[in-house]
Amino acid sequence: KDGKSSQGLQLPDGSVVWIRVDRHVPAALRPLAEVSAEVRNQVLLDKARTRARAVADSVVKALREGASLADVAAREKLTWSDSLGLSRRTQGVPVDVLRLAYRLPHPAAGKVSADTHDAGTAFVVVAVSKVIPGEAAPAAELAQVRTALSESRSQQELADYVRYLRENGKVV
């Protein structure tokens, strides 16, 4: 207020910042001529997004009803991007898409399991046509992973407890 700096504010990473208001510009309505292009573009984007969602949903519905990937692609004028032999650690495929692919049920022979993913600027249809079971990790490796996960969880619980004490504890 009045060009003065705030008190130091400690951020979660431990750093400290000070804030000073240089100037204040009150909120005001902008003239229609100034915002009309933005409004028009936003309306067009909203309509395009609604249409894209409808197309993605119809593609998934058709696939679930047994239509082939080629037939659906031809009808909707789409192209499929095949990603064969994916694993949970595959690079180059968005993590959210991989996560969805691994959540889908295993498809029946000759069928696909499909669902849509909202990628923000687009809708992605994820279709799984075949699942190849992986090999189980050796017992020693599984034990090592269990230990690492247990330690990680313990560290997170301690960090959460310390944060809770800092936020709610009172020093007397």
Side-chain angles (χ1 to χ4, degrees):
K1 215 174 187 187
D2 301 325
K4 295 180 182 176
S5 295
S6 69
Q7 295 179 357
L9 303 170
Q10 186 167 7
L11 300 177
D13 68 358
S15 58
V16 179
V17 296
W18 289 265
I19 300 172
R20 183 170 65 102
V21 176
D22 185 37
R23 66 184 167 103
H24 173 72
V25 177
L29 292 176
R30 293 167 44 199
L32 180 60
E34 185 180 315
V35 297
S36 64
E38 290 177 43
V39 170
R40 182 179 178 280
N41 286 341
Q42 189 59 50
V43 168
L44 290 174
L45 284 172
D46 289 347
K47 286 182 179 181
R49 183 171 172 73
T50 301
R51 174 67 181 129
R53 166 62 103 184
V55 169
D57 289 344
S58 79
V59 166
V60 168
K61 182 179 178 193
L63 291 173
R64 287 179 179 166
E65 291 173 351
S68 74
L69 294 170
D71 290 344
V72 171
R75 184 184 76 219
E76 297 292 342
K77 298 179 182 142
L78 303 172
T79 56
W80 290 106
S81 174
D82 292 334
S83 298
L84 304 175
L86 293 178
S87 74
R88 291 185 190 269
R89 295 184 184 107
T90 298
Q91 300 294 315
V93 177
V95 174
D96 292 338
V97 171
L98 278 174
R99 198 173 290 138
L100 175 59
Y102 272 89
R103 274 192 299 223
L104 289 172
H106 291 207
K111 303 283 184 183
V112 297
S113 290
D115 204 349
T116 58
H117 169 66
D118 183 349
T121 58
F123 290 95
V124 178
V125 175
V126 177
V128 175
S129 59
K130 182 179 181 182
V131 175
I132 302 169
E135 297 178 18
E141 186 178 333
L142 290 174
Q144 184 179 12
V145 169
R146 274 191 210 100
T147 301
L149 288 173
S150 176
E151 289 173 4
S152 175
R153 182 180 171 116
S154 297
Q155 290 171 355
Q156 183 62 49
E157 286 179 0
L158 176 61
D160 291 345
Y161 182 62
V162 168
R163 185 176 352 101
Y164 170 79
L165 289 176
R166 284 185 178 152
E167 292 172 358
N168 300 308
K170 296 184 184 198
V171 177
V172 181

